[in-house]
Amino acid sequence: MSAPTPRGRRAPMSNAPAHGVGLDRDARPVATPKRTLHMIGNAHLDPVWLWPWQEGYQEARATFWSVIHRMEEYPDFVFTCDQVVLLSWVEESDPELFARIRERVAEGRWQMVGGWWVEPDCNMPMGESFVRQGLYGQRYLREKLGVTATVGMNVDPFGHNAMLPQILRGQGMDSYCFLRPGPHETSLRGTAFWWEAPDGSRVLGYRIPFEYGSSAGEVSGQTEKAIGQLDPDLTDVMVFYGVGNHGGGPTKANIESIYRYDRMGTFGRMIMSSPRQYVDTLTERLGEEGLAALPVWRDDLQHHAPGCYSAHSGIKAWQRRAQAAVLSAERWAAVVAVGAGVDYPREDLGRAWKQVLFNQFHDVLPGSAIETAYDDARDQLGEAVAIAKRAITRAHNVIASRVDIPLEEGSQPVLVFNPHPWPVRADVELQYGVQPTGVHVVDGDGATTPSQRTQSVATMSDKGRGATVFRAEVPALGYRLYRLRGGAAPAGAPWSGAAPSPLSASETVLENDVLRMEIDPVTGWLRSLLDKRTGADLVAGARGEHTQVCEDPTDTWGHRVVSYAWPGEAMRTVRVVLREAGPLRARLLVEREWGRSTLVEEFLLDHDADAVEVRVRLDWREQAHLLKLRFPTALTDARATYEIPFGAIERPVDGAEEPAQTWVDLTGRAAAGRKRVPAGLAVVNTAKHGFDVLPGGDGRDGDGGAGDGGAGTAGGPDAPSIGMTAVRSPVYSWHDPRLLDPEGVYTYQDQGVQQFRYLLVPHGGDWREADLMRRSAELGSPVRAMLESFHDGSLPDRLSFASDGGGQVVVTAVKGSEDDGAAGPDLVVRAVEMSGRPARARIELPLVGRVLEADFGASQIRTFRVPADPASAVTEVDLVEWPLAAPAGVSAEPLGAGPLVLGRAAVGQAGDRGASDAVEPAEQMSPHREGLPTDG
C-alpha cells in the first residue's frame, strides 16, 4: 500500500515493502528476467537424526499444524509433502489435524510427492526394500487421501542406485527430485535430465539447485544461490524453501518475501507451485523435441559422504538380517495360507516391513544419527525379526505336522526348510543331546548323507550332548526330511547323492577336487588359491597385506572423502589352527591382533565346494581408526563389478570408495601354467557395504589422484585388489567443519565384538556364471532345520512349493497379495533378470498347480498375481500390486495334478502315540537317559 504524502495524497507503489502482501503481483517491470521460478514450500523433516524418533513424531504434528495455519493465511500457498510415515503418525495421534490435511489434499494445495514410507538411504537396502517403500507408501496415500504420488522425491540421501528409475516407474512415478550428489561431486551437468535404468526405463531427473530448505527469514539468499546453479538453458527452475531437518516448514517471512520479490521482478516470475506442476509445465514448454534434447544419464548418482557406507556396523548387519527374515516369513506364510488355508498375517508382516523401512532412513542406515538412535533401531528391527520368526515357525510347524514320518526306533527326525525358490545344497549345523556315541545322518530313504562332528554351542559335562554338521540338499522353496541315527554310519551304507569327494587339510593347505588354498603362516593370508577348473591361481605372487589398519581423521559421514584405500599397518598373526578335518568340510582358524583389537577368520572348505567360506569375529577397540580387509589378486586387465539393488554395475578400477549390496567382483586374466586365461574372484559378504578396487600399488598416483588401473604384471605392484571396509570408528554424529576438542570426551562407533561372513568365489572370467546373487542370498538367509516327531501325514519326505529354475531370472519375492482374491490371498511372485541379458523364464509353482513362462528384457523386473483358483487368470501387476495398463504377457499352464492341498495334520494315529512317551524321539535309544542335568 502507498504511504501518504504531506498533502494526504497517495502515490502509486513502486517495487514492494518487506511484506509484499496485498499488492498487484502481475504489475512487474518490463525488465523482469524471462523465467518462472516455481517456489516449492516444503518442510524436510528428519524423523530421527540428532534427536530420537519420539521427537520427530511430535515435530511432524507441530510442523503440519503450522502448514495448515499458513494455508489459512495465504490462499495461494502450496505445500509439498513426502515421507508417508509422518502422515501415519499424525493420523494416529491427531485425527483433527489429519482431517484438515485430507481437505487440503482434496483442494490440491497439499501436494504428496515421493510416495515412499521414508526418504531412505538409496544404496544399501536390497531391491525388495525399495519396492516395499512404494508398496506401503502409495497404498497408504490412496487409501487415506485418495491420491498417489507421481513425482519421486529423495532430497537428502547421499547417493542413488541405477535401478531406481525402473522402480519409480513401477510405482507410478515419472520424475525424480534429489539434491545429492551436487555439481562438485559428479560429472553430471545441468539441472533437468533423463535418468535411465539398465532396462531402459526413464524418469525425468531434477537436481535441486543449492538446497532443499531455507532459513526462517526472507528467501532472497536461497533464490540467488539456486539461480547460480541453474542450467542457463533451462530458464525455469524449482526453488525449494521452508525450514527443514527438524521440521518447521514455510514461514510467514518466507511467503511474504516471495510476494515482494515477485512484484519487484527481482528474479523473474515467482509462483507458489509443486514439483508436479513444474514437471508438467516444463514438459509442455520443451515439447517432444526439447525433451529429446535433454541429456541422458545411465549410471548411479554418486558420491556424497562415502564414510556412510561403513559407519556403524551394527545397523548394517541388523538391517540385512531383518530384510532377509521378513522376506522369508512372507514366503512361508504364503505357502500355508494358500496351501492349508491358514490366515495370512498381512498386518503383522506389514508392521515388520514398516519397522525395516523406517530404519532405512538416510540418517539411520548410513550411521550418521546420534548414539541413542541405534538403541531404538536395534529394538525396532528386533521387533521385525521377532514377527518374522513367529510367522516362519508357525508355517514350518503347519507343514511339518502334515509330513508322513514313520516311527523308527532310535532316530530323531529333522526337517530342513529352504527359503529360496531354487534348490539349495547347504551344511546344516545341529545340536543334539543324549547321544554319547555321536550321530550320523540319513535322508528320508535311509541313505547316508555326509556329516561330521563339530563343536557344540553348549559347554557341558554331559557327554551325550554334541553337535553335528551334515549336508542337506533341499528342493526349491521346500523342505526335506533327514534323520539322526546314533553312532557312526555302517560301513558300505549307500550315499544320499554322490559319495563325498576327497578333501585334505593341514595347518596351511585345504584342498578338494575343485580348489586348493594355501595359507602363509606368517601373514595369515592366502599365498595360493588355485581354481583347478581353469588352472588359474587367483592370488599366487600377489603383493599386499590382507589387513590394513589406518588412523581415520574423517568425520562420521566421510565428507569429501574419495578413498579409504590408503597404506595401513598389518595386524600381527598370532596363531593358525586346524579346527576340523572331516569328510564333509575342513576348518582353519587364523587369529590376528593390533593394538587392543583382535581378528579371527575361520576358513571353511567343503569336500565339493567351489568357494571358500570365511567366518569373521572382530573385537575392535580402536578409536578413530579403520580396518580394510584387502584381497590382493594376480589378475591383469581387470574390470570391477559391484552388486546394486536388483542388479550389478561396472565401475572404474581406481580405488574410490564405492557402495555395494553384498558382493564385488574383479575379472581379468590370470596365469595358468605358461598361458593366461580369463579368470575372476568375487567377494560375497553378509554385513558390509563399503568397498574399493585398487589398480595396484597403494592405489594413488604421484599427483595424489587415483591410478589409471587396467593391465599390469601378474603379482606385481600393478596387480589389482578388492578392499572391504570392515570397520570405521569415528565419533558419533560428528560433522565437519566442527573440530574435535583434544581434551573432549566422545563416544566412538563400533567398539566391541561383531561377526560376519564372506565367500571367496573364483570363476572362469564371467561373474554371471558364478551365480553371485544366489550365493549371497543363501549366505544371508540359510536353511532352517527343526527337530520333529513321528506321525502319519499326507505330505512326502521332500517337496517344493515354487522354483525359478536357477537361471538368470531370479524370483525375489513370493508373498500373499495385499488385497484378497476370491478365496483369500492370491500368490504374488516377483522375478528379476539379474545378468543384464534378455531371457525367457520358466517359474514352476506347484503350490498353485501352475507354471509361468515369460520373456524378460535385460535387468527387467516383472510381478505376477497368481490366483489360488486354477480357473482364474494370472495377471501382471505393477510394484504396488495394481494391474498394469499394458501387460507384456505371460503364459500360465497347469502343472502336475493341480494345486497342492496340504490338508490337515494327522491326529491320534499310531505313529504319534508310539513316539509321545519320549522327551525326544532320539532319547528312546539312549542307554544313559538317567542322570541328565537339569536346566539349573
Side-chain angles (χ1 to χ4, degrees):
M1 295 178 295
S2 302
T5 67
R7 296 182 180 181
R9 298 176 60 189
R10 292 181 181 272
M13 175 71 70
S14 70
N15 294 310
H19 56 80
V21 177
L23 297 175
D24 180 5
R25 289 164 52 201
D26 290 327
R28 302 179 191 88
V30 175
T32 297
K34 298 298 188 285
R35 60 173 168 243
T36 300
L37 277 63
H38 292 249
M39 305 304 293
I40 310 299
N42 77 109
H44 178 69
L45 200 163
D46 293 330
V48 55
W49 178 30
L50 305 180
W51 44 85
W53 69 266
Q54 295 91 336
E55 190 170 322
Y57 190 108
Q58 183 279 331
E59 183 56 40
R61 183 168 49 83
T63 294
F64 288 174
W65 267 121
S66 175
V67 171
I68 292 296
H69 294 153
R70 299 295 82 76
M71 287 185 169
E72 293 169 348
E73 295 159 353
Y74 306 101
D76 63 340
F77 169 57
V78 177
F79 180 69
T80 292
C81 179
D82 73 338
Q83 301 200 107
V84 174
V85 67
L86 305 178
L87 291 169
S88 75
W89 286 349
V90 168
E91 181 193 16
E92 67 185 14
S93 64
D94 195 335
E96 179 187 353
L97 173 58
F98 192 75
R100 301 280 289 277
I101 292 171
R102 186 185 292 114
E103 292 172 358
R104 296 305 186 183
V105 169
E107 186 183 15
R109 293 174 62 200
W110 188 296
Q111 288 283 314
M112 294 307 309
V113 297
W116 287 4
W117 199 246
V118 297
E119 285 190 16
D121 176 88
C122 291
N123 284 315
M124 291 179 278
M126 64 174 56
E128 280 296 327
S129 287
F130 291 104
V131 171
R132 308 317 167 95
Q133 288 283 356
L135 177 76
Y136 290 107
Q138 293 282 52
R139 281 181 164 267
Y140 181 95
L141 293 178
R142 175 174 285 187
E143 177 187 349
K144 304 294 184 178
L145 301 176
V147 298
T148 56
T150 58
V151 177
M153 191 162 88
N154 281 305
V155 301
D156 204 18
F158 311 144
H160 312 261
N161 76 80
M163 289 293 285
L164 286 185
Q166 183 179 181
I167 293 170
L168 292 164
R169 280 289 189 177
Q171 295 167 341
M173 290 175 272
D174 61 9
S175 42
Y176 189 62
C177 299
F178 67 99
L179 177 70
R180 301 185 179 96
H184 61 293
E185 295 171 313
T186 177
S187 61
L188 172 66
R189 294 293 174 259
T191 305
F193 62 98
W194 290 112
W195 188 18
E196 184 175 303
D199 78 313
S201 300
R202 285 184 176 186
V203 292
L204 184 63
Y206 184 89
R207 179 165 58 192
I208 298 169
F210 181 56
E211 266 292 356
Y212 51 72
S214 68
S215 69
E218 61 150 48
V219 300
S220 61
Q222 179 82 0
T223 306
E224 288 166 351
K225 291 174 182 176
I227 292 173
Q229 289 189 6
L230 172 67
D231 179 352
D233 295 330
L234 197 59
T235 65
D236 293 353
V237 65
M238 282 192 281
V239 177
F240 284 65
Y241 72 95
V243 179
N245 288 335
H246 197 271
T251 65
K252 293 182 180 181
N254 288 163
I255 296 169
E256 293 179 4
S257 70
I258 292 172
Y259 293 158
R260 181 190 189 202
Y261 293 121
D262 178 43
R263 173 179 169 88
M264 292 171 64
T266 307
F267 306 112
R269 179 171 175 250
M270 302 175 79
I271 63 172
M272 301 292 184
S273 187
S274 68
R276 181 72 266 162
Q277 181 179 344
Y278 174 80
V279 169
D280 290 345
T281 301
L282 181 67
T283 300
E284 181 180 358
R285 183 173 64 81
L286 292 179
E288 290 187 13
E289 185 175 342
L291 289 171
L294 290 175
V296 180
W297 186 260
R298 298 180 178 92
D299 201 349
D300 284 342
L301 291 166
Q302 309 292 0
H303 303 84
H304 180 85
C308 286
Y309 311 151
S310 50
H312 204 293
S313 297
I315 187 63
K316 272 72 168 176
W318 305 335
Q319 263 291 342
R320 291 269 278 272
R321 177 171 175 250
Q323 290 173 92
V326 182
L327 279 173
S328 180
E330 280 183 337
R331 294 171 184 178
W332 291 116
V335 167
V336 296
V338 173
V342 175
D343 291 341
Y344 184 69
R346 187 179 292 120
E347 184 176 338
D348 289 344
L349 292 171
R351 188 166 68 254
W353 265 119
K354 288 170 185 175
Q355 294 287 41
V356 171
L357 301 178
F358 180 78
N359 285 287
Q360 291 170 353
F361 179 70
H362 62 257
D363 280 312
V364 177
L365 181 52
S368 51
I370 57 175
E371 183 178 10
T372 56
Y374 293 100
D375 295 334
D376 289 330
R378 179 200 59 219
D379 295 345
Q380 291 164 344
L381 292 170
E383 180 188 11
V385 172
I387 290 170
K389 285 186 173 182
R390 285 194 294 271
I392 292 168
T393 301
R394 178 197 192 196
H396 286 179
N397 276 270
V398 167
I399 296 167
S401 67
R402 290 156 169 79
V403 177
D404 186 40
I405 307 178
L407 175 64
E408 179 186 293
E409 295 288 346
S411 74
Q412 170 63 62
V414 178
L415 282 168
V416 181
F417 291 87
N418 169 21
H420 305 291
W422 58 83
V424 168
R425 293 188 306 168
D427 292 349
V428 177
E429 296 182 8
L430 192 67
Q431 310 296 308
Y432 61 82
V434 294
Q435 294 290 347
T437 59
V439 299
H440 67 281
V441 184
V442 299
D443 64 15
D445 298 323
T448 303
T449 190
S451 65
Q452 66 189 58
R453 185 186 292 269
T454 191
Q455 183 173 336
S456 173
V457 296
T459 305
M460 307 280 291
S461 59
D462 175 14
K463 295 182 180 180
R465 178 158 291 279
T468 187
V469 54
F470 68 92
R471 169 59 57 81
E473 299 189 13
V474 192
L477 190 58
Y479 67 84
R480 187 171 181 182
L481 174 66
Y482 290 89
R483 297 175 189 265
L484 304 184
R485 290 177 176 172
W495 289 102
S496 176
S501 54
L503 175 64
S504 61
S506 70
E507 290 197 348
T508 57
V509 175
L510 305 180
E511 183 174 6
N512 62 19
D513 285 346
V514 182
L515 300 178
R516 181 185 186 275
M517 58 162 280
E518 182 178 356
I519 294 285
D520 183 331
V522 176
T523 66
W525 187 241
L526 301 176
R527 62 161 51 126
S528 173
L529 180 57
L530 175 65
D531 185 345
K532 298 181 182 181
R533 297 166 298 184
T534 63
D537 195 318
L538 279 302
V539 304
R543 303 178 188 178
E545 295 287 350
H546 172 55
T547 55
Q548 297 176 330
V549 180
C550 293
E551 186 174 351
D552 176 20
T554 63
D555 70 358
T556 314
W557 285 257
H559 282 114
R560 300 169 188 85
V561 165
V562 173
S563 175
Y564 287 112
W566 291 77
E569 187 170 320
M571 303 183 83
R572 183 175 68 90
T573 303
V574 296
R575 63 170 175 159
V576 179
V577 179
L578 182 64
R579 291 195 60 202
E580 292 183 24
L584 176 60
R585 73 182 186 189
R587 184 174 186 176
L588 185 66
L589 178 147
V590 177
E591 183 175 351
R592 300 177 180 85
E593 64 181 16
W594 190 91
R596 298 186 301 131
S597 302
T598 59
L599 172 70
V600 174
E601 292 185 299
E602 291 195 90
F603 297 81
L604 290 90
L605 184 68
D606 274 26
H607 72 96
D608 56 355
D610 59 358
V612 179
E613 179 184 350
V614 185
R615 299 182 181 178
V616 182
R617 185 180 189 274
L618 174 63
D619 188 354
W620 189 249
R621 303 289 172 178
E622 316 307 324
Q623 298 177 349
H625 281 69
L626 68 84
L627 170 64
K628 275 278 187 184
L629 294 183
R630 188 154 297 284
F631 306 92
T633 74
L635 295 168
T636 58
D637 306 308
R639 304 182 309 279
T641 305
Y642 294 71
E643 185 190 16
I644 63 174
F646 284 148
I649 192 168
E650 191 168 318
R651 294 181 177 139
V653 179
D654 61 3
E657 190 77 355
E658 299 279 7
Q661 284 280 290
T662 63
W663 60 262
V664 174
D665 176 74
L666 195 54
T667 292
R669 302 183 73 83
R674 295 187 175 183
K675 61 182 180 179
R676 302 195 67 76
V677 298
L681 179 68
V683 177
V684 183
N685 90 102
T686 59
K688 304 299 174 183
H689 292 282
F691 290 85
D692 68 73
V693 178
L694 273 175
D698 64 5
R700 295 175 293 124
D701 64 21
D703 296 324
D708 58 4
T713 303
D718 291 330
S721 62
I722 298 171
M724 176 168 64
T725 306
V727 63
R728 287 182 67 230
S729 47
V731 170
Y732 275 94
S733 297
W734 168 39
H735 196 305
D736 75 358
R738 169 70 182 270
L739 298 179
L740 298 179
D741 181 353
E743 305 300 322
V745 177
Y746 302 101
T747 304
Y748 292 80
Q749 291 187 355
D750 280 359
Q751 302 298 292
V753 175
Q754 56 174 285
Q755 299 183 69
F756 59 95
R757 291 180 292 163
Y758 64 85
L759 299 177
L760 299 174
V761 186
H763 59 79
D766 187 346
W767 58 264
R768 298 168 184 83
E769 302 302 321
D771 218 0
L772 300 176
M773 278 81 166
R774 297 180 196 273
R775 290 181 193 266
S776 165
E778 293 170 25
L779 191 67
S781 186
V783 299
R784 176 178 180 262
M786 64 175 282
L787 303 181
E788 184 53 33
S789 56
F790 306 115
H791 46 68
D792 297 336
S794 59
L795 297 182
D797 68 345
R798 70 198 75 177
L799 191 62
S800 169
F801 299 105
S803 174
D804 63 15
Q808 65 195 73
V809 174
V810 178
V811 166
T812 61
V814 177
K815 62 185 291 292
S817 57
E818 293 301 307
D819 303 308
D820 279 345
D826 290 338
L827 199 65
V828 171
V829 179
R830 183 160 30 259
V832 185
E833 196 291 306
M834 292 286 194
S835 73
R837 300 168 177 170
R840 185 166 180 81
R842 177 182 171 88
I843 302 171
E844 296 185 354
L845 302 171
L847 179 64
V848 291
R850 303 277 190 100
V851 58
L852 309 183
E853 292 194 10
D855 292 320
F856 283 72
S859 305
Q860 187 180 10
I861 305 167
R862 298 186 68 182
T863 308
F864 306 103
R865 179 167 178 155
V866 187
D869 179 3
S872 298
V874 174
T875 57
E876 186 169 4
V877 295
D878 63 16
L879 298 183
V880 194
E881 296 184 22
W882 293 330
L884 284 180
V890 57
S891 167
E893 300 294 336
L895 178 67
L900 286 174
V901 179
L902 302 187
R904 289 185 163 187
V907 179
Q909 297 181 351
D912 291 301
R913 290 195 295 271
S916 62
D917 190 44
V919 178
E920 289 184 354
E923 292 182 11
Q924 293 182 339
M925 68 162 291
S926 174
H928 303 290
R929 290 185 61 194
E930 299 82 6
L932 292 178
T934 67
D935 62 3

